Amino acid sequence: MLNQKQDWEIRSRSESCNRCGKEFVDNEPFVSRLTFSEEGYGREDFCMECWPQVADEPALSVWHSIFRLPPPPPPETVKRETAESLLRKLVAEDRPEHANTIYILAVMLERRRLLVEKDVQVREDGLKLRIYEYRKTNETFVIPDPELKLAELTHVQEEVVAMLSGNDNPPPAEPTETTNAPAESAAAAPATLPQGES
Ligand SMILES: [Zn+2]
C-alpha cells in the first residue's frame, strides 16, 4: 500500500553527484531523478557523465537543471509571511485540508517565476503531481494538483490573499488622512495604489 501521508514534499538538491560523488560547481548542468516508493519520494542528482549510466532506470520524473550555489541567507529582518514561507510552512504541516491552498501558492510562485514547473506526472494511485523547482536553490517541490474548478479556484485565491495579508504585512489601504492641499481633480482621482514609480 502506498503511503498516502507523503503527498507533498520538498527535496533538497544534492551538493554532489549521487553516483560518483563529485561535487557540483556553480553553473554546472546536472540531471535530477525523482522516485516514489513505499518510503516516500526520493530525489537523486547526477553529473552529466554519470547520467547516461542510470538513465534507463525507472523514475517518476526526470529533469535537467543548472547547479546554482546557494544564495547567502537573507538578513534577519522583520518576519513577514510571504507566499514562499507560507508554502514551506503548510507543506511541513502536511495537512490534507491545506491541499488547495498549497496548490494555489505554488501557482502564484510559478507566475512570479520563483518556481519553475519541471514536470507533470500521474502517480500509480491516480494522483496528479506537479513537480516544481525553486529557482534559487534547485529544491524540488512535489505538489499534487487538486484540479480545482473555477469557482473553487476563486474561493481559494481569496483565502490565500487573506492569509498573506494577515500578519504585519497590511494590505495597501486607502489613505485615511486627507491633505489640506487643494485637490484640483479630487473627485476623479482613483483612491487606489500610489503611483510613485518615477
Ligand atoms: Zn557523477
Side-chain angles (χ1 to χ4, degrees):
M1 220 185 107
L2 290 168
N3 181 354
Q4 287 290 348
K5 196 174 170 291
Q6 299 215 28
D7 277 346
W8 304 283
E9 195 62 67
I10 302 176
R11 285 278 159 187
S12 303
R13 173 212 58 198
S14 319
E15 299 291 312
S16 55
C17 172
N18 283 95
R19 193 161 195 281
C20 70
K22 185 172 74 72
E23 279 190 24
F24 294 125
V25 298
D26 202 20
N27 294 320
E28 177 176 347
F30 68 101
V31 182
S32 303
R33 176 169 80 184
L34 192 73
T35 52
F36 183 70
S37 68
E38 285 180 29
E39 291 90 61
Y41 295 104
R43 172 179 168 163
E44 295 160 293
D45 301 296
F46 300 98
C47 73
M48 296 313 287
E49 280 161 46
C50 291
W51 172 245
Q53 301 162 52
V54 295
D56 291 337
E57 294 172 12
L60 177 67
S61 181
V62 164
W63 64 95
H64 290 251
S65 292
I66 303 291
F67 185 89
R68 308 276 186 218
L69 279 180
E76 280 299 316
T77 51
V78 188
K79 282 272 187 290
R80 198 165 64 96
E81 200 75 283
T82 62
E84 185 198 334
S85 64
L86 186 59
L87 176 68
R88 288 179 185 278
K89 194 168 87 179
L90 296 182
V91 167
E93 285 176 14
D94 195 16
R95 286 161 55 174
E97 65 264 34
H98 291 152
N100 294 345
T101 309
I102 288 172
Y103 174 70
I104 293 295
L105 285 167
V107 171
M108 283 169 69
L109 290 168
E110 187 196 5
R111 286 195 193 132
R112 287 190 219 156
R113 308 184 131 267
L114 293 168
L115 288 181
V116 185
E117 189 178 272
K118 287 292 184 175
D119 200 7
V120 180
Q121 289 289 336
V122 177
R123 220 166 62 179
E124 270 179 40
D125 57 1
L127 188 68
K128 188 182 196 180
L129 300 172
R130 293 186 183 272
I131 295 156
Y132 293 100
E133 195 167 74
Y134 186 48
R135 215 181 257 273
K136 275 194 232 164
T137 60
N138 297 124
E139 285 166 290
T140 306
F141 288 70
V142 181
I143 308 288
D145 185 344
E147 307 193 61
L148 295 169
K149 297 188 186 70
L150 191 62
E152 298 170 314
L153 196 73
T154 312
H155 177 66
V156 178
Q157 271 172 336
E158 283 166 5
E159 272 183 7
V160 170
V161 169
M163 285 170 104
L164 287 175
S165 55
N167 307 302
D168 52 319
N169 180 21
E174 292 181 18
T176 46
E177 70 239 59
T178 48
T179 53
N180 292 324
E184 284 139 60
S185 57
T192 52
L193 294 168
Q195 310 173 349
E197 292 283 313
S198 57

